[in-house]
Every structure is written in C-alpha cells, then in structure tokens.
Amino acid sequence: MFDFIIIGAAQAGLAMAYYLKEAGYHFLILDKEEEIGASWLNRWDSLKLFTPTEFNHLPGMDFPAEKGHYPSKTEVANYFKVYAEKFEFPLQLNTLVTSVKKEKSCFFIETENQHFQAKNVIVATGPFHIPYTPPFYKKISPEIFQIHSNYYKSPAQLKEGNTLVVGAGDSGFQILDEISALGQKTYFSGATDVKVLPQEFLGKTLWWWFTKTGFLSFSKDSWIGKRINKNRQPIIGTDVKEILSRNNVEAVGKTIDAEDHIISTEKKDITDIANIVWATGYRPNFNWIDGLELTKDGYPKHKRGVSNTKGLYFIGLPWLHTRGSATLGGIKNDAKYLFHFIENQAS
C-alpha cells in the first residue's frame, strides 16, 4: 500500500515527487514512456521553449543553463532525467495506467500487467492526450501524406511536393516557418489575425514582463483571469507576418472538407498538395478514471487540483489555477499548494 501513486513523470509529476520525497511519504511514479522526458523528445526537432532559463526551475534544482537561454527539447528532457536521478525518485517506466478506481478509502490502480494500491492518487498526465484531426481526414486520398504535429519531427518526413499546414497555434506557425523556409509551395490554413508577442521587449524577456505585471498570477476565477482565458492565446516569438508574406506561402482560411485529392478551404479548393500537417491540437482523455466528474470540455472538475473525489488530485492541467500553471517554471507553485493542502488534510 502506497501513500501516493503519481501518474506521469514529466514536470508536473516530478515537482510533486519532490515535495512528497522531502516529507518522507511512501510513493511511486508510474509513466507509460520508455524514458524520462519522452513527452518532450517526441515533439518536433527544432522545438524550443518560449521561456528562458530563469523561468524554468523546478523546486530544489535550477535549470542548468545561462540566464536568457531558451532551452531545446533535448535540454528539457535531460534536465528531467538529472532531476529524477538527483532526488532518487522511485519510478517505474513502460507502465501504462489503464484504470483508477476507488473502493472505500483505497485506490486500485490497474496497468497492462500489474495492479497497485494507494491511499492517494496524483494524476500528472498533462493536457495533451489524444491528437485531434478533423474527421474528414479519412476522405483524403492515401496518396497525400498526413501527419499530426504530435508525430511531426522535421520536413524530412514529408513527401516531395507542396504542403498544407493546418492550425494557427504556436506549433502550427513554427512548423509553417520551418517547412516554407525550404522554398516549396506551402499553404496555411487557419486564422491570420493572431496576436503576436516578442520573446524580448525593451531589453527584458517577455516572461520578465509577465512576472512583473502579474500576468501569470491571475487566478482563472478572477475577472482578469477569465478575460485572459477567454481570449485566443497569443503566438510567442514567431514572426507570423513575415512568414505569411513569403512568396511561397498562401493563406487559404479554414479547412472545411475534403474529397480524395481535393481539399476545400474558405478561399479555394486545393488540388496540388502532397502533404498535410495537422497542428490541430489535442483532446483530453480521463475516461480511465472511474466515477470522475468532468467539465463540458472533458477536463476533471477540481479546485486548484483538488478533485471531488477525496484523495484524487490533478496537476499539470492548463489553467489549473493561473496562466502560469501551463509553464515549466509555474508548475512548482501549483505543486507547493497541492502539497500543503495534502499536509493540512492529513493533520
């Protein structure tokens, strides 16, 4: 019987493990991947954090890089590995949790090959579960190569020919930038009137300004927090205007439908593409947790990570409490709060 089972060994799970280890709890981290940091390593090769080093510290160990440096995905993964080794967290990889069920005061955690029991469960699987692609992707000719941004690594994966990039988030524009820079005709599907913020302003990083103005500290329940959450998230550090002005880039509006080799968009029917990159986000999946109350968006109902089921906690969700909850450096505030809540419950 464990005091805690933590599900997920990325930044959220590791931050919670730090506080539990410090307090002497008997716990175990379970993660479905083969190595620590895999959730980052699986993203595209050129990915870098939007936040510089000084805003990426987990509790108890600073990110090992110079101030002002924007870490690559490999640096983040290595940081996690060193972090887990330094504090000697008990963890088990290659372990996919398939079911969590509470009976009386005990949680039963099932995996593909094992089962565990714990007094408490902390779910730290993050917000990115099921890559979402519009249903009409099935109507597209198999001759057109399709890939979701979750599996995209580099332009080397693509077939020779024109490419359509769908999605107006950070990943969509970063991938559009990378592919179109090679000179091939590249279509862009998505909103073009996005708000863009620079990574640095007046000699200070954007995150320095966010910290000083309290932008990352507004609660999701506050008036300002609700306004920020309601608005479309800005693109950070990518020159969207320059990318869309390239001669080989054509913005075609929203992708509406498809049939064989014809991709229908708001502005035109496209018939000359060899590839589609779907940077269309993710859908949450918490169906494996028995009796869990969900919001209309499919996320657990909770208050600062405390669910409606006693002993079941969540961390690493978008806007768990503030905008900063979604950042590497912001996770420690949520972890510290959750740990103190747990301690107060136990006393």
Side-chain angles (χ1 to χ4, degrees):
M1 173 72 74
F2 290 94
D3 293 325
F4 290 86
I5 290 283
I6 299 174
I7 305 173
Q11 62 261 30
L14 294 176
M16 281 307 306
Y18 171 83
Y19 288 110
L20 295 182
K21 180 72 180 287
E22 195 176 48
Y25 283 105
H26 178 47
F27 71 95
L28 177 66
I29 309 173
L30 303 177
D31 193 279
K32 65 184 178 68
E33 303 291 352
E34 295 182 356
E35 60 180 323
I36 297 290
S39 60
W40 287 86
L41 293 174
N42 290 339
R43 306 298 294 279
W44 66 93
D45 294 343
S46 60
L47 175 66
K48 288 183 178 292
L49 287 187
F50 304 129
T51 49
T53 295
E54 59 270 30
F55 297 97
N56 298 324
H57 304 318
L58 290 176
M61 178 183 165
D62 288 353
F63 197 102
E66 293 182 2
K67 184 178 179 181
H69 173 68
Y70 293 90
S72 68
K73 66 172 190 177
T74 304
E75 289 175 303
V76 175
N78 288 339
Y79 174 45
F80 291 172
K81 289 172 183 174
V82 173
Y83 188 82
E85 290 171 0
K86 176 179 179 178
F87 296 110
E88 300 180 329
F89 295 144
L91 61 91
Q92 184 171 307
L93 300 173
N94 292 306
T95 305
L96 175 65
V97 174
T98 57
S99 168
V100 172
K101 191 172 188 177
K102 186 178 184 182
E103 293 183 6
K104 297 182 179 180
S105 58
C106 178
F107 287 92
F108 294 86
I109 301 95
E110 300 288 337
T111 74
E112 293 174 315
N113 302 308
Q114 298 170 278
H115 63 270
F116 302 89
Q117 294 181 33
K119 298 173 185 175
N120 304 274
V121 171
I122 300 174
V123 180
T125 54
F128 305 135
H129 299 154
I130 304 173
Y132 173 77
T133 305
F136 58 77
Y137 85 91
K138 296 178 181 178
K139 297 161 63 178
I140 298 172
S141 168
E143 294 179 1
I144 296 177
F145 176 70
Q146 300 185 65
I147 189 170
H148 190 276
S149 58
N150 185 69
Y151 308 106
Y152 172 84
K153 298 291 186 182
S154 74
Q157 293 170 289
L158 306 179
K159 295 171 62 175
E160 185 175 343
N162 301 339
T163 297
L164 169 66
V165 178
V166 184
D170 280 301
S171 59
F173 281 114
Q174 286 186 28
I175 292 171
L176 175 68
D177 181 21
E178 182 172 74
I179 294 174
S180 63
L182 300 177
Q184 187 71 39
K185 176 74 176 183
T186 311
Y187 295 98
F188 170 70
S189 174
T192 56
D193 59 342
V194 294
K195 186 177 294 184
V196 179
L197 299 177
Q199 284 188 308
E200 297 187 4
F201 180 69
L202 297 178
K204 299 289 186 180
T205 68
L206 177 66
W207 297 94
W208 184 90
W209 289 104
F210 279 173
T211 302
K212 289 298 181 183
T213 59
F215 178 80
L216 299 177
S217 302
F218 293 118
S219 162
K220 67 178 182 180
D221 297 319
S222 67
W223 180 84
I224 296 179
K226 288 178 181 177
R227 294 280 295 183
I228 296 172
N229 195 8
K230 186 178 179 180
N231 294 332
R232 182 188 297 160
Q233 187 169 311
I235 304 301
I236 298 174
T238 300
D239 192 344
V240 171
K241 187 175 181 180
E242 185 278 322
I243 296 169
L244 294 176
S245 70
R246 294 173 185 172
N247 293 330
N248 64 316
V249 174
E250 182 179 350
V252 293
K254 183 180 179 181
T255 299
I256 301 169
D257 202 354
E259 190 65 51
D260 199 31
H261 287 83
I262 303 173
I263 312 300
S264 299
T265 72
E266 287 180 315
K267 294 187 177 181
K268 65 186 295 185
D269 286 345
I270 306 171
T271 58
D272 62 344
I273 60 169
N275 309 282
I276 301 177
V277 179
W278 298 102
T280 42
Y282 301 80
R283 296 293 184 269
N285 176 24
F286 294 96
N287 296 333
W288 45 277
I289 304 176
D290 184 65
L292 181 65
E293 290 189 73
L294 300 174
T295 68
K296 63 180 180 179
D297 298 321
Y299 286 102
K301 288 186 176 180
H302 67 90
K303 185 171 183 179
R304 295 199 69 172
V306 181
S307 81
N308 294 338
T309 300
K310 186 176 181 180
L312 178 63
Y313 306 97
F314 292 87
I315 189 166
L317 298 178
W319 278 94
L320 186 86
H321 180 54
T322 68
R323 172 67 180 83
S325 294
T327 65
L328 177 55
I331 202 72
K332 60 179 176 286
N333 294 328
D334 289 336
K336 190 173 184 179
Y337 171 85
L338 205 53
F339 172 73
H340 285 315
F341 177 90
I342 289 168
E343 287 281 87
N344 290 334
Q345 287 288 100
S347 61

